[in-house]
Amino acid sequence: MTKGIFVNGVWQVKERTYPLYAPYDGRLLAHISKADAGDVREAIAGAHSAFDVMRKLPAYRRSEILASVVLQLKQRREEAAQLLSLEAGKPIRTARAEIGRTITTYEFAAEEAKRISGETIPMDAAPGGEGRVGFTWREPLGTVVAICPFNFPFNLVAHKVGPAIAAGNTVVLKPAEQTPLSALFIAELFREAGLPDGALQVVTGSGRELGDALVEDERVKKITFTGSSEVGKRIKAKAGLRKVTLELGSNSGLIVEPDAALDAIIPRCVEGAFAFAGQVCISLQRIYVHESIYQEFTDRFIEQTKQLRVGDPSDEQTDVSSMIHERETERIHSWVQEAVEAGARIGYGGRRENSVYLPTVLLDVKREMAVSCKEVFAPVVSIVAYKHLEEAIESVNDSVYGLNVGIYTQNLTTAFRAAKEIQAGGVIVNDIPTFRVDHMPYGGVKESGYGREGIKYAVQEMTELKFVTMKL
Ligand code: NAD
């Protein structure tokens, strides 16, 4: 079956295609159309003219369209989960959880569409302002280009398309090469929901080939990108004065203070380190544990890791399946070996089993090792002991990244201190950095990017504030 791109409400099968294989067993899933720069220009032109329709659509209509997507997704949730599990190699239970979150994200978008508002300004607070009223409202920007990664192809698309439509923008969506089916599935739901033609365009193909055409077109008013820091930097350099949101990588850290309740936190930490084979932007990569509980924590963590079931993503029992590509498995294996040669010890794992890289626990890791200072984006976690809290905070902060950081402590003063001193977009007290619900402000500092998602915050970044004052 050959899947087309979705432009101006029409599916267009292209001459150039690429085969899409399932990451776990390599089975052929579909042939995907490869858009070229001309297709991208056509998609942007269509989105640009559809903006005339979208900007006039009342808020309740935009809300209804999003609510219809919610309803359809609820009705087709198992189908969506199976699709996601197949194309991303995501264990089916994890895939179902993502669909659940995607529904919530679109629900938030449907609600947010109705409450995009401004404020009144007390003009007479300044001398010379008397006798005037002042107020603001927010206006949509126009065409938004949304470039998405493979790891949450439903929910991260929802975090861009949801707020863009809620605000009255039009969208040109470029899904990751490995996960186009979920984006095309969503496009179908929006069409069924009555979204005007051209308001959501989906172009599939190589990011490297299409990147310039997507980013450099002056009709595009905003680029919202989630993916690697490397590509993010390239996009930012080309965006000029246009608005950009960048949701990039991380090597997320967690501090475990001596008063943490190990029974409750160990399963949570194991989940944070290995869910979707660690291919999560806020996957738990570095655990700093107070020396007084280090040994017990490590032993129990490894014990719990051994319980994980690895294998076929379609199996209901599977916790950890294959990584997205063979070359990714090779990359992480070479990083682990490099660490071992430099003195790290393997507490568990450290090898592959067919297409799956086993959940891996590393000990005696030094911060300059790639497995610590770079983003592993793989099922590999390191556990490091610390003596004093400041040392742990300093270790966590010694990173080019800063997305979410977690700390377990029962001490309020410690929690506040960590919240203040940790350099990150979010500090999660008494949970893993992998915690996210979809309306919280979410985004990074340093090379983790800038701008925030979490529907309300994304809407702010996808609208322009207009100020009006009237002299009475
Ligand atoms: P990636 O950067 O390789 O690709 C992301 C998207 O960019 C894909 O659609 C790809 O086709 C496109 N792309 C590639 N080259 C491009 C170019 N030159 N111009 C324009 N677009 C281009 O990332 P990935 O492997 O799909 O995802 C993994 C990365 O995403 C990790 O670094 C992860 O941390 C990050 N991520 C961040 C968040 C977050 O919210 N901060 C969430 C999920 C993933």
Side-chain angles (χ1 to χ4, degrees):
M1 185 206 353
T2 304
K3 299 292 268 185
I5 60 174
F6 184 66
V7 175
N8 299 330
V10 178
W11 299 98
Q12 300 180 11
V13 172
K14 296 278 124 186
E15 227 164 77
R16 292 189 318 150
T17 61
Y18 67 95
L20 181 72
Y21 299 107
Y24 177 70
D25 55 14
R27 109 177 76 143
L28 181 68
L29 300 178
H31 292 277
I32 307 297
S33 287
K34 255 187 157 177
D36 60 21
D39 298 318
V40 169
R41 278 193 294 275
E42 187 190 338
I44 292 173
H48 186 65
S49 56
F51 181 54
D52 273 344
V53 182
M54 274 303 281
R55 72 195 310 175
K56 292 178 195 141
L57 217 58
Y60 77 86
R61 264 306 289 150
R62 302 194 306 267
S63 179
E64 278 173 0
I65 289 167
L66 288 158
S68 162
V69 169
V70 169
L71 192 66
Q72 293 178 68
L73 197 51
K74 280 181 177 168
Q75 286 160 350
R76 297 176 67 181
R77 64 197 307 162
E78 185 57 24
E79 185 190 345
Q82 296 290 345
L83 193 70
L84 167 58
S85 175
L86 269 180
E87 70 171 354
K90 187 166 280 197
I92 185 65
R93 285 181 290 119
T94 318
R96 288 194 191 110
E98 179 176 341
I99 301 303
R101 279 183 59 187
T102 308
I103 289 168
T104 306
T105 303
Y106 282 118
E107 263 166 358
F108 277 123
E111 291 160 5
E112 197 60 31
K114 295 184 186 173
R115 54 186 179 218
I116 302 172
S117 60
E119 60 181 355
T120 55
I121 316 293
M123 297 301 289
D124 63 351
E130 304 95 317
R132 292 165 204 265
V133 291
F135 55 91
T136 62
W137 64 59
R138 303 201 74 92
E139 295 184 344
L141 300 175
T143 296
V144 173
V145 155
I147 304 177
C148 294
F150 73 83
N151 61 344
F152 288 88
F154 270 100
N155 198 32
L156 294 183
V157 162
H159 271 287
K160 300 190 184 307
V161 174
I165 300 298
N169 293 301
T170 60
V171 186
V172 177
L173 169 65
K174 195 340 233 144
E177 287 88 326
Q178 182 58 40
T179 52
L181 298 178
S182 41
L184 297 169
F185 182 92
I186 279 295
E188 201 176 301
L189 303 194
F190 270 102
R191 191 168 73 147
E192 278 292 310
L195 185 73
D197 288 348
L200 173 61
Q201 318 270 48
V202 185
V203 288
T204 50
S206 151
R208 213 169 310 137
E209 272 180 40
L210 303 180
D212 288 354
L214 283 163
V215 173
E216 288 176 349
D217 196 306
E218 288 299 324
R219 290 169 295 189
V220 171
K221 303 302 179 215
K222 168 160 184 121
I223 301 134
T224 170
F225 171 77
T226 300
S228 60
S229 301
E230 184 198 342
V231 176
K233 282 182 196 167
R234 201 167 315 152
I235 288 174
K236 171 99 182 354
K238 292 190 169 151
L241 292 177
R242 273 137 349 116
K243 289 177 189 286
V244 180
T245 293
L246 299 175
E247 298 282 353
L248 310 176
S250 171
N251 59 350
S252 299
L254 169 72
I255 297 170
V256 184
E257 279 280 273
D259 57 0
L262 293 190
D263 280 346
I265 77 168
I266 299 273
R268 198 67 187 137
C269 291
V270 169
E271 185 190 340
F274 302 124
F276 193 34
Q279 302 168 115
V280 177
C281 46
I282 38 178
S283 187
L284 175 52
Q285 177 173 335
R286 300 176 293 152
I287 310 180
Y288 297 97
V289 184
H290 190 265
E291 58 178 14
S292 62
I293 53 165
Y294 173 80
Q295 201 52 52
E296 188 187 355
F297 180 95
T298 304
D299 293 345
R300 291 174 67 175
F301 187 95
I302 290 172
E303 222 24 69
Q304 184 87 28
T305 303
K306 288 181 183 165
Q307 312 301 318
L308 293 173
R309 298 273 291 261
V310 300
D312 190 331
S314 68
D315 186 333
E316 296 286 338
Q317 306 303 319
T318 296
D319 298 301
V320 179
S321 189
S322 58
M323 293 184 66
I324 199 78
H325 288 298
E326 171 84 26
R327 62 175 180 274
E328 280 295 284
T329 315
E330 283 161 10
R331 172 188 61 80
I332 195 57
H333 191 53
S334 73
W335 286 19
V336 169
Q337 286 192 314
E338 211 179 278
V340 169
E341 279 158 27
R345 278 187 303 127
I346 293 177
Y348 184 68
R351 61 188 172 81
R352 50 191 300 183
E353 225 173 70
N354 303 317
S355 64
V356 180
Y357 198 74
L358 288 186
T360 296
V361 183
L362 293 179
L363 310 171
D364 297 340
V365 166
K366 308 277 176 311
R367 52 174 84 176
E368 63 278 7
M369 293 175 178
V371 290
S372 178
C373 68
K374 293 188 179 175
E375 177 184 38
V376 295
F377 216 58
V380 174
V381 68
S382 59
I383 311 179
V384 175
Y386 71 87
K387 213 186 202 35
H388 302 294
L389 180 64
E390 52 266 37
E391 186 190 334
I393 293 177
E394 196 269 324
S395 300
V396 159
N397 284 344
D398 184 23
S399 168
V400 295
Y401 298 111
L403 197 48
N404 275 2
V405 170
I407 177 165
Y408 280 106
T409 176
Q410 298 301 315
N411 183 317
L412 205 53
T413 309
T414 302
F416 265 98
R417 179 174 168 201
K420 248 191 139 44
E421 292 180 14
I422 283 170
Q423 299 157 2
V427 175
I428 314 292
V429 177
N430 286 329
D431 209 342
I432 46 177
T434 327
F435 171 80
R436 181 180 184 190
V437 286
D438 293 285
H439 62 310
M440 72 190 216
Y442 177 78
V445 299
K446 301 195 263 185
E447 291 198 14
S448 292
Y450 61 78
R452 293 292 177 268
E453 291 192 338
I455 303 301
K456 172 180 153 188
Y457 305 94
V459 163
Q460 299 281 309
E461 303 205 5
M462 289 185 182
T463 50
E464 199 73 76
L465 185 77
K466 182 171 274 179
F467 172 65
V468 182
T469 182
M470 294 180 187
K471 194 165 175 235
L472 302 174

